[in-house]
Amino acid sequence: MKKNRYVAAAGLVLGVVSVSLWGCGGKAPAKGQEGAGEVYVYNWGEYIDEEVISMFEEETGIKVVYDMFETNEDMYPVIEAGGRTYDVVCPSDYMIQKMVENNMLAELNFDNIPNVKEIDPEYMERSKSFDPENKYSVPYCWGTVGILYNTGMVAPEDVPTKWSDLWDEKFKGEILMQDSVRDAFMVALKSLGYSMNSESTEELEEARDLLISQKPLVQAYVIDQVRDKMIGGEAAVGVIYSGEMLYIQEEVAAQNLDYSLEYVIPEEGTNVWIDSWVIPANAKNKENAEKWIDFMCRPDIAKMNFEYITYPTPNKGAFDLLDEELQNNKALFPDVNSLDNCEVFRYLGDEVDTVYNDLWKEVKSN
């Protein structure tokens, strides 16, 4: 499963995981397709069904060299340095904006990506917040950040509906917060009625103070552990990515637990994140990269990837192929009107990032 998207807060930088699937699971080009070339892919860990890679190789004859990264902040310097050239990469919204601003991406030739028509226009429109003319990116997965609560530990009248509920004394010692600078500040900023992309020092300091005031109520700051802790009944409420919900629901059912875990998008709004395919400006196999993106946009392939990684797909064709029960799962696919107050993270510049990181260190050390 894809890990936390914005961890480079207090100087934490994780090592790059790099593995080639060619020769260890990937298949040789189909007979008659030898010499079709190769494509170097750089993606999040466990963020694709490996069978899809084999299918792409078989159908196109293009050899796939597939490497993985853990965070956007790990990926960026690798692409920037150019020591190893990649043809297609899958960053997140704010990082795509940074790469565009630094002339690190190539414009896409959509004549080579006819299946882009399968992407729901809603997500192409949201992508304009980081790719204003939709010239550089094609959405791959999306999701929201919300509050997960345990029905066995939270009374019906106490169900959290707002971010500000995470400052309620009744949840003391039962709150799991994301150990992530932008996610944590998003919760505080939204609860204060501010944009989660605020650049105001005054607003950010107010959010810092609010997070510090919350600390006595917080059981732990976690990343991936929130999922298992909530399934295990170790906390009443937690901040979590919506992409975890299908796994959580299946685990609760499999373990026959006497409680359920429900997901809420807070009234103040939240982060709607989008991960998209892009092509670095120095890509050596651009047409093969566009063939890769087109293949990922094919509805049957997008459906396979959704079923493997469980993060919501922006692919309308794939959505139409899903069972009605999944289509109606509002934790995975919320109503558009519930996203009215939601935003996509924007890259705010290195100077503002430093302000966020310094204030986050104060929260963690206080």
Side-chain angles (χ1 to χ4, degrees), residues 48-49 52 140 296 301-310:
I48 195 170
D49 185 335
V52 164
Y140 177 56
M296 294 301 118
I301 298 301
K303 178 176 180 285
M304 285 180 65
N305 281 327
F306 164 74
E307 290 172 342
Y308 180 80
I309 63 180
T310 74

Side-chain angles (χ1 to χ4, degrees), residues 38 102 145 148 156 186 222 261 265 281 359:
E38 55 193 9
N102 289 311
V145 178
L148 187 68
M186 179 274 292
V222 291
L261 297 175
I265 295 177
L359 292 174

Side-chain angles (χ1 to χ4, degrees), residues 4-237:
N4 189 282
R5 305 168 60 253
Y6 209 126
V7 188
L12 174 61
V13 180
L14 302 176
V16 175
V17 177
S18 179
V19 296
S20 172
L21 294 182
W22 175 253
C24 56
K27 298 181 181 180
K31 188 174 181 180
Q33 293 183 322
E34 293 87 349
E38 55 193 9
V39 63
Y40 285 76
V41 181
Y42 203 23
N43 194 10
W44 299 82
E46 298 184 57
Y47 212 36
I48 195 170
D49 185 335
E50 289 185 18
E51 182 61 25
V52 164
I53 299 173
S54 298
M55 291 172 64
F56 177 79
E57 290 180 328
E58 289 177 346
E59 292 190 26
T60 66
I62 297 170
K63 168 184 169 181
V64 176
V65 181
Y66 188 93
D67 291 348
M68 297 180 286
F69 58 86
E70 291 286 344
T71 72
N72 284 294
E73 287 68 31
D74 289 332
M75 175 278 302
Y76 183 86
V78 174
I79 302 301
E80 182 180 40
R84 177 157 192 177
T85 304
Y86 288 97
D87 300 310
V88 60
V89 187
C90 189
S92 301
D93 32 53
Y94 69 94
M95 192 57 75
I96 293 172
Q97 180 189 349
K98 182 176 181 178
M99 296 171 84
V100 170
E101 291 179 6
N102 289 311
N103 301 311
M104 292 170 60
L105 299 181
E107 290 190 25
L108 301 177
N109 180 357
F110 285 96
D111 289 341
N112 294 330
I113 314 174
N115 282 321
V116 72
K117 69 180 185 298
E118 301 291 349
I119 303 300
D120 192 319
E122 167 77 17
Y123 304 102
M124 297 301 291
E125 186 63 31
R126 288 188 180 275
S127 294
K128 289 182 179 179
S129 66
F130 56 88
D131 180 7
E133 297 179 60
N134 291 138
K135 294 195 301 186
Y136 299 98
S137 62
V138 174
Y140 177 56
C141 291
W142 73 282
T144 59
V145 178
I147 300 173
L148 187 68
Y149 69 92
N150 184 317
T151 60
M153 302 174 71
V154 176
E157 64 271 19
D158 294 331
V159 168
T161 59
K162 304 183 295 295
W163 288 122
S164 58
D165 290 333
L166 298 182
W167 276 259
D168 196 314
E169 287 282 342
K170 64 174 170 275
F171 294 130
K172 184 174 183 178
E174 298 291 348
I175 299 171
L176 299 175
M177 287 286 288
Q178 284 286 324
D179 192 5
S180 160
V181 56
R182 289 295 294 271
D183 286 325
F185 270 84
M186 179 274 292
V187 172
L189 287 165
K190 281 294 190 182
S191 70
L192 291 166
Y194 301 140
S195 168
M196 69 184 201
N197 291 304
S198 176
E199 300 180 44
S200 163
T201 300
E202 182 179 340
E203 291 178 359
L204 293 177
E205 289 177 347
E206 189 177 350
R208 172 204 59 195
D209 294 343
L210 191 63
L211 288 169
I212 290 173
S213 73
Q214 183 201 32
K215 287 187 72 174
L217 308 180
V218 175
Q219 180 187 119
Y221 294 93
V222 291
I223 300 177
D224 302 317
Q225 305 96 316
V226 61
R227 180 181 74 182
D228 295 330
K229 281 180 171 289
M230 291 295 295
I231 293 172
E234 297 179 38
V237 295

